[in-house]
Amino acid sequence: MSWTSQNPDVPDDPCGAGPGFTDWSGLPTPARAEAAATCAAWAPRVQARFGCFVEIGTAETDTAGPLAGLLYAAKDMFDSVGRSPGCGLPGVAADTAGPAAERAAAVLERLDGAGARRIGFTTMTALAYEPSGVGKALNPWNRDIVPGGSSSGSAVAVAAGAVFAALGSDTAGSLRIPAQACGVTAWKPTYGAVPVAGAMTLAPSLDTIGLLARSARDIQLMAPVLATGMAFPSKPPARVALLSDTVEASEAPIQAACREAMEAVAACGVSLEQRSGLPAIEALSDPLFLILQAEAAAQHGGLALAARDPTLARRLAKGLDITPDRLVAAKAALSGATAPILDSLFGEADALLLPVMPIRTPPVAVADPASPDFRAATLYQLSAYTRFVNALGLPAVAVPAGFDDRGMPVALQIVGRPGTDGALLALAAALQARTGWHRRRPSDITDFPSPLAQRGS
């Protein structure tokens, strides 16, 4: 078997732990069918170890197209023909979640119509309303560390080599947080660029559907299929601003990893400047949480959850106390502030760089409300640098940027103005062509080799 990685001049694993993963784009066309078949056979073993799927059932397709044969999974929040999603609700299986859907979600139709093969549906936190992923899939880098939520199963499935890509959602960081936790690449699209028809809603003013994948190059293949009305230029942004105060306010291991990654970004030929952004980012938290809580309660506040998930029930209850007038006022204030905040953040820059999170990915014990070590402030910190993106409807890409002092992945966030998704992905791809962080295998599968780790010369 001879599979080629994307750049033989860049080591697969900067830490020297062994051969790294390839991506779909790095496979020669004749090898792709075999790679997809071996990954499909591998997925049940990944499930047995990490619990990232709620259903596995390889969807065969003979459809030719730009994604022909690409193996993917979908977060358990999308309708498919004859199946309604479980949406992570405790005690609810997909086949009892409601009437069987008569039509697949728009994103499934687009991927399947382009020839991609859906292998199954992945675990998620209940109603996509929890950022740590506790209680769902296990992190393949370290089972005692959270996998990130709410798209936890999708991130784990990609990280463990069961699929090349997976669909997820992002309302305040639910693609980018698990991307850091699991060491994969994430694309959170411009608000409204990807259709949400047939997907569970949490907060319609904030919800976006996006992708987790091994590499930005793979997302570049898939993004035009999902966002059909958007142009995807292959040129990175010319001017990029580092939000230096967000780095300085982060934990030391995050600072070290992100500064190294930013040096690699500068080597990609972009003009890199430094700006402050933390005050503007923090100012957006209150209106975002008000909108999120009010809209989530409007969507799901009638569910009887108190006995099955008291934490989720309490979260939804907060939104029930928000009056329609307060919600309208928050949206109006946010809309009126968007243009000046964008000018304040970006200045003359085309994109922003900042960490995905100011903290290292936390242990399960700290993020689990049932644990005596639980710290609620930690859950708030997980999305401290991601939620402003949703408040402003911006696109963002999360890319692996190195590792912390525990050997856990750290991610860098590249954020752009609305509609600049293609440029952000191009910069992420250029960065990954210079580094090997995104191809490193998780530590919990070094004795459990995936077919994606096989390489040839």
Side-chain angles (χ1 to χ4, degrees):
M1 185 179 299
S2 180
W3 294 357
T4 305
S5 67
Q6 65 176 12
N7 187 345
D9 296 326
V10 176
D12 284 337
D13 182 354
C15 298
F21 279 135
T22 187
D23 57 10
W24 186 256
S25 302
L27 292 172
T29 301
R32 288 179 172 178
E34 182 180 3
T38 52
C39 285
W42 164 260
R45 298 178 66 189
V46 170
Q47 166 62 10
R49 180 167 282 201
F50 303 116
C52 52
F53 289 97
V54 298
E55 178 181 308
I56 301 176
T58 305
E60 300 293 341
T61 177
D62 296 323
T63 304
L67 306 179
L70 189 153
L71 207 68
Y72 81 99
K75 188 175 181 177
D76 188 26
M77 57 176 286
F78 299 104
D79 289 343
S80 60
V81 176
R83 179 188 188 276
S84 292
C87 301
L89 289 171
V92 177
D95 57 359
T96 61
E102 297 181 359
R103 180 174 179 177
V107 288
L108 300 187
E109 290 185 338
R110 291 186 178 187
L111 292 179
D112 296 348
R117 289 178 59 198
R118 182 171 8 107
I119 194 176
F121 293 90
T122 56
T123 57
M124 59 180 284
T125 58
L127 298 179
Y129 205 172
E130 203 278 335
S132 74
V134 165
K136 298 297 180 180
L138 300 175
N139 192 322
W141 290 92
N142 185 330
R143 299 177 188 215
D144 294 328
I145 304 293
V146 302
S150 61
S151 305
S152 50
S154 289
V156 172
V158 173
V163 291
F164 289 91
L167 284 166
S169 66
D170 193 312
T171 303
S174 289
L175 285 161
R176 292 158 287 157
I177 293 169
Q180 162 148 329
C182 296
V184 297
T185 306
W187 169 49
K188 182 270 177 202
T190 295
Y191 178 77
V194 175
V196 297
M200 184 213 81
T201 57
L202 177 61
S205 297
L206 307 169
D207 293 342
T208 50
I209 307 301
L211 290 167
L212 293 143
R214 174 63 46 194
S215 71
R217 294 198 312 166
D218 282 358
I219 295 177
Q220 284 178 306
L221 289 177
M222 303 176 73
V225 173
L226 292 176
T228 55
M230 179 179 288
F232 283 88
S234 58
K235 186 177 180 180
R239 300 182 63 175
V240 177
L242 161 63
L243 298 185
S244 54
D245 53 352
T246 65
V247 179
E248 293 162 1
S250 299
E251 292 181 352
I254 301 294
Q255 291 187 35
C258 286
R259 291 191 189 282
E260 183 178 356
M262 289 165 188
E263 291 178 5
V265 170
C268 293
V270 301
S271 173
L272 187 59
E273 62 185 65
Q274 296 194 30
R275 298 181 60 82
S276 296
L278 202 50
I281 289 172
E282 291 176 339
L284 292 168
S285 287
D286 285 347
L288 178 131
F289 277 125
L290 190 149
I291 293 168
L292 172 57
Q293 291 168 351
E295 292 192 347
Q299 296 291 319
H300 305 290
L303 292 175
L305 294 169
R308 290 185 294 160
D309 193 328
T311 300
L312 178 60
R314 286 194 297 271
R315 287 183 181 139
L316 291 173
K318 291 180 180 179
L320 293 174
D321 293 331
I322 298 172
T323 65
D325 288 346
R326 288 181 63 201
L327 177 58
V328 170
K331 289 183 176 181
L334 189 58
S335 176
T338 294
I341 288 177
L342 287 178
D343 289 341
S344 170
L345 284 172
F346 285 85
E348 298 299 320
D350 304 306
L352 308 174
L353 298 179
L354 70 160
V356 165
M357 300 191 296
I359 60 173
R360 298 176 300 168
T361 304
V364 170
V366 171
D368 185 355
S371 166
D373 298 323
F374 172 67
R375 294 200 295 267
T378 298
L379 297 186
Y380 183 85
Q381 288 179 297
L382 289 176
S383 63
Y385 291 173
T386 57
R387 49 185 179 252
F388 83 96
V389 172
N390 300 80
L392 299 173
L394 308 180
V397 179
V399 290
F403 298 87
D404 66 23
D405 55 325
R406 306 163 302 167
M408 291 298 296
V410 175
L412 182 70
Q413 192 173 190
I414 310 173
V415 179
R417 292 178 183 268
T420 62
D421 304 54
L424 304 185
L425 289 168
L427 179 56
L431 172 64
Q432 291 180 338
R434 291 180 170 271
T435 63
W437 296 309
H438 64 294
R439 296 206 303 274
R440 186 177 174 190
R441 285 186 297 161
S443 53
D444 205 14
I445 59 172
T446 53
D447 65 326
F448 197 55
S450 164
L452 297 190
Q454 301 181 51
R455 293 186 60 209
S457 58

